[in-house]
């Protein structure tokens, strides 16, 4: 059984916890896109693991982990995570594989991300400044790109970096008046990266196909959320990869039909970090309540997240483009204490009611949510283990979401721990 887990909102849905639970029944966990802009938090017992690049399943000692071709990999971050796990007694030896075709994020990508965002002023995207967009741009541009396979031949890589830095220095100087950077310093860093990471580099497409042919169970882990997808999200306020499940086939070389089940992760409300349209945003005491109750601050950047009501139009879109079979609804406990809850079941755009999400931001800017109001509950849900034991209004809230989105909710989260998950 091969499963894909993907976020259906603007990221931060809690995929890390879901992957960690499902990894128990899997042989291999695969990251197929994004980079260290992602932040996956997993809580086991009293220990909190925050991972940006390693698949969330990596904390389970018996699961193989793959970083596939469409991931943009920051070696510094990855080495930090490998070391962090080793310090906690978790070894990746013999069970970790990096695609030779994955592109490498280097210092000049992070510099470019920052310089570009600063120069955009009020039009900035609000990126994580992790060099994601510039690295993907170099990949598409082809001539100035570094891939993990390049770490196998350091002489060739040094020559390539000389050419790249000559180009980048000219570009950054002309556009932003930036000081040049010596290629030598980056070459030295790459030598260290190669020493630590080259042993893990391989042809992951072959590895994945061999695993599937051998009857292994694979878990594909999406990063960010479907509404941040470069092609299908709220462009330009998106990330630079196909973060919906549509990115899976090209992101790791496994065809979509080889995946048996697509699971969509959602929060019981909506959040967004960075700029861009957000029809159900509550920039008021409701939004503040959700942010504090749900600890809605970025795992990667620490930024306060924008918070709002559950947007069923946006989630239904994620379900449709993502071929989603079932939902995992997290953070239900966060809503305890709100008198009433609103759910956007449609948008009104130019006087017309629409239930298909317009990803085009000019149309989305005109969308007025059409809300349904449901009664809230006061009870603390964090100790509830059975769906039937949830307050009647909480059960009704989940059921109504299932109805509007037309997809069953298979798991409900009532707290950050693995144990605080209700299976249905
Ligand atoms: P970038 O991916 O750093 O280029 O950022 C582009 C947009 O995606 C910004 O609005 C970021 O806040 C958002 N973003 C990137 N990664 C995540 C994530 O893991 N969770 C939520 N938002 C993200």
């Amino acid at each position: 059984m091969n499963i894909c887990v993907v976020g259906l909102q603007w990221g931060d849905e809690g995929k890390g916890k879901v992957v960690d639970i499902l990894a128990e029944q899997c042989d291999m966990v695969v990251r197929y896109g994004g980079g260290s802009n992602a932040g996956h938090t997993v809580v086991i017992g009293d220990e909190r693991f925050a991972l940006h690049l390693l698949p969330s399943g990596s904390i389970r000692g018996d699961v193989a982990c793959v970083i596939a071709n469409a991931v943009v990999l920051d070696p510094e971050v990855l080495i930090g995570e490998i070391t962090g796990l080793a310090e906690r007694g978790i070894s990746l030896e013999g069970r970790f594989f990096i695609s030779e075709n994955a592109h490498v994020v280097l210092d000049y990508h992070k510099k470019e991300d920052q310089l570009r965002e600063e120069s955009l002023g009020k039009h900035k995207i609000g990126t994580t400044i992790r060099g994601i967009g510039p690295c993907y741009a170099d990949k598409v541009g082809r001539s100035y790109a570094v891939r993990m396979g390049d770490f196998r031949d350091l002489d060739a890589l040094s020559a390539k970096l000389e050419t790249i830095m000559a180009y980048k220095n000219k570009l950054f100087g002309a556009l932003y008046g930036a000081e040049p950077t010596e290629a030598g310093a980056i070459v030295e860093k790459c030598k260290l990266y190669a020493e630590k990471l080259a042993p893990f580099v391989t042809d992951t497409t072959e590895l994945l196909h061999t695993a599937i042919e051998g009857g292994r169970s694979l878990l594909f882990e999406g990063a960010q959320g479907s509404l941040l997808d470069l092609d299908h999200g709220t462009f330009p306020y998106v990330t630079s990869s196909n973060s919906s499940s549509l990115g899976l086939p090209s992101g790791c070389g496994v065809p979509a039909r080889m995946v048996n089940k697509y699971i969509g992760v959602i929060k019981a409300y909506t959040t967004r970090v960075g700029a861009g349209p957000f029809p159900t945003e509550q920039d008021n005491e409701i939004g503040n309540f959700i942010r504090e109750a749900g600890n809605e601050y970025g795992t990667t950047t620490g930024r306060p997240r924008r918070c709002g009501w559950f947007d069923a139009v946006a989630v239904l879109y994620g379900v449709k483009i993502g071929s989603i079979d079932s939902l995992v609804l997290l953070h239900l406990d966060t809503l305890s204490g709100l008198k009433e809850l609103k759910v956007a079941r449609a948008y009104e755009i130019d006087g017309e009611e629409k239930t298909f999400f317009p990803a085009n931001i000019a149309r989305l800017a005109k969308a007025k949510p059409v809300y349904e109001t449901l009664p809230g509950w006061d009870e603390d849900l964090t100790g509830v283990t059975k769906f039937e034991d949830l307050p009647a209004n909480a059960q009704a809230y989940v059921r109504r979401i299932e109805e509007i989105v037309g997809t069953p909710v298979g798991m409900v989260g009532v707290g950050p721990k693995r144990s605080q998950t209700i299976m249905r």
Side-chain angles (χ1 to χ4, degrees):
M1 173 88 145
N2 300 322
I3 302 174
C4 171
V5 174
V6 71
L8 299 186
Q9 295 160 316
W10 278 285
D12 310 315
E13 296 90 352
K15 296 172 291 295
K17 168 174 148 162
V18 179
V19 168
D20 178 53
I21 291 169
L22 295 172
E24 213 160 38
Q25 313 147 26
C26 288
D27 302 302
M28 207 177 247
V29 183
V30 186
R31 263 286 299 262
Y32 63 81
S36 63
N37 48 350
H40 292 166
T41 312
V42 186
V43 181
I44 300 181
D46 292 328
E47 283 213 78
R48 193 175 170 278
F49 295 82
L51 299 172
H52 300 282
L53 264 173
L54 279 173
S56 307
S58 56
I59 53 177
R60 293 190 172 269
D62 52 351
V63 177
C65 302
V66 176
I67 292 186
N69 53 277
V71 172
V72 287
L73 193 157
D74 182 334
E76 217 154 277
V77 174
L78 183 60
I79 292 167
E81 289 182 1
I82 295 172
T83 312
L85 288 192
E87 281 164 3
R88 291 161 134 142
I90 303 171
S91 164
L92 291 170
E93 208 61 41
R95 64 179 184 101
F96 178 45
F97 309 92
I98 303 170
S99 168
E100 58 196 351
N101 295 340
H103 283 249
V104 184
V105 177
L106 293 166
D107 287 348
Y108 53 83
H109 291 122
K110 291 177 253 188
K111 183 170 170 179
E112 188 172 350
D113 206 350
Q114 181 161 13
L115 290 169
R116 190 187 301 175
E117 282 284 89
E118 280 168 8
S119 76
L120 284 168
K122 69 178 173 39
H123 298 294
K124 74 178 180 183
I125 290 167
T127 75
T128 57
I129 317 284
R130 297 293 168 118
I132 307 300
C135 185
Y136 278 118
D138 282 349
K139 169 179 171 174
V140 177
R142 294 155 297 166
S143 310
Y144 300 104
V146 176
R147 305 206 289 181
M148 288 305 292
D150 292 332
F151 282 164
R152 294 192 188 117
D153 183 348
L154 287 174
D155 289 337
L157 178 59
S158 300
K160 192 183 222 181
L161 285 168
E162 291 287 347
T163 312
I164 292 175
M165 284 324 298
Y167 167 75
K168 295 281 178 189
N169 282 336
K170 239 190 258 173
L171 192 72
F172 298 171
L175 286 178
Y176 312 113
E179 290 295 318
T181 309
E182 287 285 319
I186 297 181
V187 170
E188 286 314 306
K189 279 191 175 182
C190 282
K191 285 183 186 159
L192 292 176
Y193 300 154
E195 201 178 297
K196 301 241 189 247
L197 298 180
F200 300 114
V201 177
T202 188
D203 180 344
T204 53
T205 310
E206 181 182 355
L207 180 90
L208 294 177
H209 279 268
T210 307
I212 292 171
E213 282 153 24
R216 301 265 176 268
S217 293
L218 273 53
L219 181 57
F220 298 92
E221 175 177 334
Q224 289 85 42
S226 301
L227 302 174
L228 288 171
D229 187 287
L230 178 62
D231 287 282
H232 302 284
T234 49
F235 187 90
Y237 301 104
V238 291
T239 190
S240 299
S241 63
N242 288 119
S243 52
S244 68
S245 68
L246 294 166
L248 187 157
S250 60
C252 66
V254 172
R257 69 172 176 167
M258 285 186 171
V259 179
N260 310 96
K261 193 170 181 187
Y262 289 88
I263 297 179
V265 186
I266 51 177
K267 273 195 282 214
Y269 45 89
T270 315
T271 64
R272 173 162 206 167
V273 208
F278 179 176
T280 62
E281 180 169 18
Q282 298 299 302
D283 190 11
N284 53 31
E285 70 284 0
I286 298 283
N288 295 341
F289 175 93
I290 294 174
R291 186 177 309 107
E292 294 316 312
N295 189 27
E296 292 294 352
Y297 293 87
T299 314
T300 301
T301 58
R303 287 181 289 180
R305 296 178 183 142
R306 298 158 64 193
C307 299
W309 295 122
F310 185 82
D311 187 341
V313 184
V315 168
L316 180 57
Y317 175 68
V319 164
K320 287 187 186 211
I321 66 165
S323 175
I324 300 301
D325 299 296
S326 75
L327 298 171
V328 175
L329 187 146
L330 300 178
H331 272 275
L332 189 63
D333 55 300
T334 299
L335 298 179
S336 293
L338 286 170
K339 277 225 148 16
E340 49 184 38
L341 304 168
K342 291 191 181 188
V343 171
R345 62 157 182 82
Y347 292 158
E348 194 200 296
I349 302 175
D350 291 333
E352 213 186 309
E353 206 168 288
K354 298 273 296 173
T355 52
F356 199 93
F357 182 82
N360 175 287
I361 60 163
R363 282 198 294 132
L364 188 56
K366 295 185 189 169
K368 292 192 198 83
V370 179
Y371 286 117
E372 263 184 37
T373 304
L374 290 100
W377 58 88
D378 281 327
E379 294 89 334
D380 173 10
L381 310 185
T382 54
V384 178
T385 55
K386 286 198 206 112
F387 190 75
E388 300 71 48
D389 294 342
L390 286 170
N393 288 349
Q395 292 186 34
Y397 184 73
V398 176
R399 289 209 178 94
R400 187 64 192 130
I401 286 175
E402 279 182 317
E403 255 167 40
I404 307 177
V405 181
T407 312
V409 172
M411 278 190 228
V412 177
V414 290
K417 292 186 184 164
R418 218 188 260 180
S419 56
Q420 290 172 306
T421 313
I422 300 171
M423 304 291 177
R424 289 178 82 201

